Amino acid sequence: MPESAPKQAARGVVTDNLVSLQSFILEEEARYPGATGEFSWIISAISLAAKIIAYKVRHVRLQNVLGEQGEENIQGESQLRMDVIANEVIMRVLGGRSSIAVLGSEEDQEPTILRRGHEGGKYCVLFDPLDGSSNLDTAVGVGTIFTILRNDPTIHDAVGTVCQPGTQQVAAGYVLYGSSTVLVITTGRGVHMFELDAAIGSFMLVKRDIRMPARNKVYSVNEAYTPGFPAGYRRYLEWAHENGYSSRYIGSMVADMHRTLVNGGVFLYPPTKKHPTGKLRLLYEANPMSFLVEQAGGTSTTGTVRTMDVKPRELHERTPLVLGSKDEVAAVLAHFRSPADAMA
Ligand code: AHM
Ligand code: MG
């Protein structure tokens, strides 16, 4: 029997009018008297870039864009052709928006200053253009992660400008190029999901105000690294094994986080032997995901402090990360007896 409209509404499924991302953001902005519409221009640029990247990702073999670019990025990782293409698409689309002061990308060593505060640069956008790109040749879901910060006109250097704690994010989100293309966003008033309708070329609202379940016995971690995890994480995993937990790990953070956000559970990337301070990047991976998770009722920690309270020192800083359903994150932390248990 099909589910009734009130039941669907109770689950947050939109049953009323069709709403595009554009009109949703305009509606949000209209709540703030004096809003200039500049913010909605940035979101529209992100959605345009996402549509272009989605098209490329869906035709990687036909368009012959798989494989390595032959260069290394700042992280010392070899760049794939699609990393470079996705980065260029975002830089070109966002570069044309007159309110953006600084752009920072996982693929570029330094943030790019586009315009100063007195030239109208109100916002900074940081992004990971194509997270999980090493999964592209096996057609696994990949994603784009972004965060929007205010530009402080009194700070002149680009790195100093973008090194803001996660609590100062104005908006954050991701696009998952999965079996469907979804864009999930928060502007600090809940988390909302849009699905790309490629035929009409719009991201359409499909779920308003996503709330994560407080509990779900699922953990998501690269368990092969367990021997190198700090003691607290090893104890947690032993406990989870004995307590009926399930494991899900795609190895593409956006896909793993999307599942965690929708179904609940916990995602972990602890310190490892190879990455003693964690692998994931604080500014454009951990912080945007943490903002979304907190807005959906979950929690995010580095193992020692709230992720969004960390004051960053550099654009590509890494952090250990534990985030997801409130009770599941608490269950991880309950196995840390001292701060040393969380560190490599
Ligand atoms: P990337 O930004 O270079 O693509 O790396 C980040 C990815 C995440 O998507 C994923 O969670 C993680 O790396 C997987 O790492 P591992 O293969 O060590 O489990
Ligand atoms: Mg990444």
Side-chain angles (χ1 to χ4, degrees):
M1 205 169 65
E3 194 178 33
S4 68
K7 268 196 177 163
Q8 285 190 339
R11 285 199 298 118
V13 176
V14 176
T15 53
D16 50 8
N17 299 338
L18 287 175
V19 179
S20 69
L21 174 62
Q22 242 74 316
S23 49
F24 181 87
I25 296 294
L26 285 172
E27 217 176 272
E28 286 276 291
E29 219 172 29
R31 292 173 186 277
Y32 300 96
T36 56
E38 286 161 314
F39 180 74
S40 58
W41 270 109
I42 297 178
I43 302 298
S44 98
I46 290 171
S47 101
L48 174 59
K51 288 176 219 171
I52 300 172
I53 296 169
Y55 177 76
K56 286 274 179 196
V57 162
R58 299 214 173 282
H59 302 85
V60 275
R61 288 179 194 277
L62 288 171
Q63 298 233 345
N64 196 22
V65 287
L66 275 181
E68 292 189 2
Q69 178 77 6
E71 281 160 34
E72 285 190 349
N73 67 10
I74 171 70
Q75 335 280 343
E77 299 154 348
S78 65
Q79 276 184 313
L80 301 179
R81 289 176 72 190
M82 265 312 297
D83 285 328
V84 175
I85 291 170
N87 194 41
E88 272 175 20
V89 166
I90 299 180
M91 294 301 269
R92 281 184 64 194
V93 176
L94 288 182
R97 296 304 199 251
S98 60
S99 57
I100 301 181
V102 180
L103 284 177
S105 164
E106 175 178 341
E107 300 302 327
D108 297 328
Q109 185 156 358
E110 301 288 337
T112 306
I113 299 178
L114 297 174
R115 48 191 75 73
R116 305 279 174 184
H118 67 271
E119 296 165 319
K122 273 173 76 171
Y123 297 102
C124 309
V125 183
L126 308 182
F127 55 92
D128 181 352
L130 205 54
D131 186 66
S133 51
S134 60
N135 292 306
L136 274 174
D137 54 355
T138 48
V140 168
V142 294
T144 298
I145 312 172
F146 61 90
T147 175
I148 303 177
L149 303 162
R150 283 205 175 76
N151 176 41
D152 178 345
T154 64
I155 304 176
H156 293 289
D157 74 297
V159 175
T161 301
V162 299
C163 280
Q164 303 180 26
T167 47
Q168 290 181 23
Q169 293 171 101
V170 177
Y174 59 77
V175 183
L176 170 60
Y177 313 102
S179 54
S180 58
T181 301
V182 291
L183 186 151
V184 177
I185 189 168
T186 182
T187 56
R189 294 178 7 94
V191 178
H192 314 289
M193 192 200 305
F194 299 80
E195 188 174 85
L196 179 61
D197 185 329
I200 60 168
S202 283
F203 279 101
M204 304 300 292
L205 183 62
V206 287
K207 207 163 187 188
R208 212 187 270 272
D209 209 6
I210 299 173
R211 304 298 298 168
M212 297 182 78
R215 301 216 60 186
N216 186 19
K217 292 168 94 169
V218 176
Y219 63 79
S220 186
V221 67
N222 192 332
E223 216 159 346
Y225 304 148
T226 306
F229 288 163
Y233 291 97
R234 294 201 306 270
R235 273 198 295 273
Y236 163 73
L237 287 171
E238 275 170 33
W239 171 85
H241 296 163
E242 287 157 11
N243 284 276
Y245 273 69
S246 227
S247 151
R248 292 282 181 278
Y249 192 69
I250 296 166
S252 199
M253 188 202 197
V254 177
D256 279 315
M257 278 311 302
H258 187 63
R259 185 197 55 248
T260 305
L261 196 74
V262 173
N263 293 348
V266 60
F267 174 88
L268 312 97
Y269 208 112
T272 60
K273 284 214 172 84
K274 188 172 171 198
H275 294 295
T277 56
K279 179 184 180 192
L280 299 174
R281 274 50 64 116
L282 174 63
L283 275 167
Y284 45 80
E285 293 179 324
N287 273 342
M289 290 300 182
S290 302
F291 192 16
L292 290 162
V293 161
E294 286 198 8
Q295 282 292 313
T299 37
S300 172
T301 165
T302 66
T304 45
V305 291
R306 179 188 178 205
T307 309
M308 290 206 291
D309 282 339
V310 177
K311 172 79 181 91
R313 287 159 310 204
E314 47 150 339
L315 175 63
H316 300 291
E317 182 167 335
R318 295 176 193 262
T319 180
L321 190 61
V322 179
L323 76 176
S325 297
K326 229 182 187 140
D327 293 359
E328 302 303 341
V329 173
V332 177
L333 295 181
H335 292 84
F336 297 180
R337 294 176 194 146
S338 70
D341 275 356
M343 289 187 254

